[in-house]
Amino acid sequence: MSRFLIVLAFAMLLPAAAQAELSVPNFFSDHMVLQRERAASIWGKATPGAEVIVGFKGNNSTVKTGDDGRWRVGVETGKADATGADLTIQSGDDSITLHDVLVGEVWFASGQSNMAFTMNRVPAYADLIAKADRPQIRMFNAQSAVSVEPKDDIRGEWTLCNPKSVPSYSAVAFFFARKLHTELDIPIGVIKSAWGGKPVETFTSREALNTLPGTKALVDAVIQADAKYDDAKSQVAYQARVDQWTAAAKAQRKLPADQRKKLPRKPTKPKRPLATEGKPGVLFNSMIHPFVGYTMRGAIWYQGEANAKPGAVPYDQTLPLMIRDWRERWNDDLSFYFVQLANFHQPSTEPGTPDLWALLQDRMRLILDTTPKTGMATINDVGEANDIHPKDKQAPGERLARWALVKDYGKDLVYSGPLFKSSNVNGNAIEVTFDQAGEGLKSRNNEQLKRFEIAGQDRVWHWADAKVEGTDSVLVSSEEVPNPVAVRYAWAANPEGANLVNSEGLPASIFRTDDWDDVEPIVEQKAKPRQATRRELAK
């Protein structure tokens, strides 16, 4: 009898074991926005071999799950629609209903801290936040996460734009979405997945990183470190550091206030290298991969600060690598618009000053010519010398939106600040021609143009005289350089005084006409081998 009961119990359990619960990732939820005029991709899990029916606005799409229970189907969305509708998903007796789903334009917002920077961090935005009642703008804020392997889901929720939700919105993404909504008058959805202080390599898959020598070296290094990592030993060493730090803190507190010294930061807990934020591919696994395939128009990106350092693989290699990686995984030629780094640090006063920040800004400009469907918002007029997080997030957000309005939505407007086009030696001067001059180049403050540098064959840089010629050209010269060969503009982390703009008041980007090897600061002797290696990789 007991044997019979055991067999019966197993028989009763078998159907339950084979039946998998119908599920979808967190970002398929109430208040979501689907990309208009496309077959929006919806996916999830259910019982292997089961039929899944997805219904939206009278259209049904049917698919069978694979042996692993996964399913994916395209749902026709039609034209933009600001009236919320239900999206239903059914498999057998299980069903999911997503409420208040809109149809409009969807964008992905990523990068480091300046993209993660929220509206509530700017006191001047308080009144704007209080009046921010635009329910057709919606944002999915992905929570920070790390993963050794690619993940299929991430925590977060869709919220409607209102005074309660906007304080936690990415400020750049909010102003981008607001500009699009104002101009297009259709729903705008933004998926924000960003993490401060992280290099571009962590947002790129390790498979893609392995295709470029410079980034493959980074992957190899983290894999080797992970193989050597001993968690038990690391925890013991960590505790010893904490005990030492705690003892030092107690000793300091016993001293008179005027004799106390500033303590170093409290030691942080050790992490497995392949599960540490910022390491190659880690944030791709956890914060990019879950969204792969979500149907959208494109991406906006604000990052680069963490790559403006000695030893970094050139940014005009790493960012295009990431863009290609994303486009291949989405199987979509997504538009990709990024923010050029803002002016930062104390202003330089001498021409020809080597600067890694300026070098990265210029490499960002080069991406426009090498990588299709990209755009760049120049913001060398809104930065702050002492803060890597400028408070003005409206300028970068709306300047990104200009690119989208023209390139994706067919609007007729000037979409960029002046961009270097060509240069030509003309006697004792060099004539520089620009794209995106609008109705004509000019000085922002009606003063003489500043921050142009000029050099001859001796490669010695001098401040130059510069004046607008015609609509789209600037004539650059110097009495100290009778036979000029090269020009630079705004070549500094903080090019104070740079004032070339177009008719829309948008600032000109940094540029140089030379390829001389004098743009990086002189490094210590012990660091020279690394610098030489980096230059070889750059070639």
Side-chain angles (χ1 to χ4, degrees), residues 218-295:
L218 301 176
V219 173
D220 291 344
V222 73
I223 289 177
Q224 291 172 12
D226 192 76
K228 296 177 181 178
Y229 179 74
D230 186 315
D231 187 63
K233 290 183 178 179
S234 297
Q235 294 295 340
V236 170
Y238 161 71
Q239 190 58 52
R241 291 195 300 272
V242 170
D243 293 343
Q244 187 179 26
W245 184 90
T246 303
K250 289 181 179 179
Q252 286 291 321
R253 285 194 291 268
K254 293 179 181 179
L255 296 173
D258 60 345
Q259 296 181 23
R260 294 175 188 171
K261 297 180 180 179
K262 185 178 179 180
L263 282 171
R265 288 184 179 182
K266 186 176 182 179
T268 57
K269 291 183 178 180
K271 298 179 182 179
R272 178 183 173 184
L274 284 177
T276 300
E277 63 276 14
K279 297 299 183 183
V282 172
L283 295 189
F284 171 84
N285 287 341
S286 57
M287 300 188 70
I288 305 299
H289 188 270
F291 301 104
V292 168
Y294 194 108
T295 309

Side-chain angles (χ1 to χ4, degrees), residues 114-166:
N114 273 305
M115 183 61 84
F117 189 104
T118 51
M119 290 288 291
N120 58 6
R121 293 178 61 180
V122 183
Y125 292 160
D127 186 58
L128 189 156
I129 290 172
K131 299 176 181 178
D133 185 17
R134 297 195 182 213
Q136 290 186 37
I137 295 177
R138 301 180 177 193
M139 191 174 295
F140 181 91
N141 278 325
Q143 295 186 12
S144 298
V146 297
S147 178
V148 176
E149 301 295 335
K151 303 292 286 186
D152 293 331
D153 202 359
I154 189 168
R155 292 183 179 179
E157 63 176 346
W158 284 95
T159 58
L160 283 64
C161 171
N162 57 46
K164 184 178 179 180
S165 63
V166 166

Side-chain angles (χ1 to χ4, degrees), residues 189-488:
V190 177
I191 296 172
K192 189 271 292 181
S193 188
W195 193 325
K198 304 303 175 282
V200 65
E201 294 87 2
T202 196
F203 298 95
T204 311
S205 72
R206 285 194 280 272
E207 290 84 357
L209 294 171
N210 279 330
T211 66
L212 186 68
T215 50
K216 184 179 186 303
L218 301 176
V219 173
D220 291 344
V222 73
I223 289 177
Q224 291 172 12
D226 192 76
K228 296 177 181 178
Y229 179 74
D230 186 315
D231 187 63
K233 290 183 178 179
S234 297
Q235 294 295 340
V236 170
Y238 161 71
Q239 190 58 52
R241 291 195 300 272
V242 170
D243 293 343
Q244 187 179 26
W245 184 90
T246 303
K250 289 181 179 179
Q252 286 291 321
R253 285 194 291 268
K254 293 179 181 179
L255 296 173
D258 60 345
Q259 296 181 23
R260 294 175 188 171
K261 297 180 180 179
K262 185 178 179 180
L263 282 171
R265 288 184 179 182
K266 186 176 182 179
T268 57
K269 291 183 178 180
K271 298 179 182 179
R272 178 183 173 184
L274 284 177
T276 300
E277 63 276 14
K279 297 299 183 183
V282 172
L283 295 189
F284 171 84
N285 287 341
S286 57
M287 300 188 70
I288 305 299
H289 188 270
F291 301 104
V292 168
Y294 194 108
T295 309
M296 60 183 68
R297 180 69 62 184
I300 57 174
W301 176 258
Y302 194 160
Q303 190 276 339
E305 299 91 339
N307 289 84
K309 61 183 181 181
V313 181
Y315 202 74
D316 53 332
Q317 295 180 21
T318 53
L319 184 60
L321 180 70
M322 189 197 79
I323 296 171
R324 291 194 300 272
D325 186 29
W326 289 12
R327 287 175 174 171
E328 288 173 3
R329 291 175 181 277
W330 258 267
N331 192 28
D332 195 346
D333 194 20
L334 301 168
S335 296
F336 192 97
Y337 305 130
F338 55 91
V339 182
Q340 192 181 44
L341 293 186
N343 44 315
F344 180 48
H345 297 305
Q346 294 305 310
S348 62
T349 58
E350 298 298 324
T353 301
D355 197 307
L356 289 170
W357 195 267
L359 179 60
L360 189 134
Q361 287 176 314
D362 192 49
R363 284 176 168 161
M364 291 180 130
R365 177 186 64 86
L366 298 178
I367 294 169
L368 299 176
D369 295 327
T370 64
T371 308
K373 293 190 69 175
T374 56
M376 181 181 74
T378 301
I379 59 166
N380 58 19
D381 58 337
V382 302
E384 300 175 27
N386 298 313
D387 195 343
I388 201 170
H389 305 112
K391 302 300 185 294
D392 183 353
K393 292 294 187 284
Q394 183 171 349
E398 293 189 349
R399 289 174 190 177
L400 287 171
R402 283 177 172 266
W403 282 88
L405 287 169
V406 173
K407 300 296 186 178
D408 297 282
Y409 307 115
K411 298 293 183 178
D412 183 16
L413 67 146
V414 178
Y415 54 86
S416 171
L419 295 168
F420 171 79
K421 180 179 181 181
S422 62
S423 65
N424 179 52
V425 177
N426 187 357
N428 63 350
I430 296 180
E431 184 177 13
V432 182
T433 304
F434 294 84
D435 283 323
Q436 290 299 301
E439 295 181 2
L441 300 173
K442 62 181 181 179
S443 162
R444 177 189 293 110
N445 47 17
N446 295 318
E447 296 181 0
Q448 182 178 353
L449 295 178
K450 297 179 180 179
R451 300 303 301 209
F452 278 91
E453 307 172 30
I454 195 165
Q457 291 288 357
D458 59 2
R459 301 191 177 188
V460 176
W461 292 96
H462 301 269
W463 290 125
D465 297 319
K467 59 180 181 179
V468 174
E469 289 282 313
T471 301
D472 60 357
S473 297
V474 173
L475 200 62
V476 186
S477 63
S478 170
E479 293 182 354
E480 298 177 87
V481 187
N483 298 299
V485 298
V487 171
R488 290 178 183 172

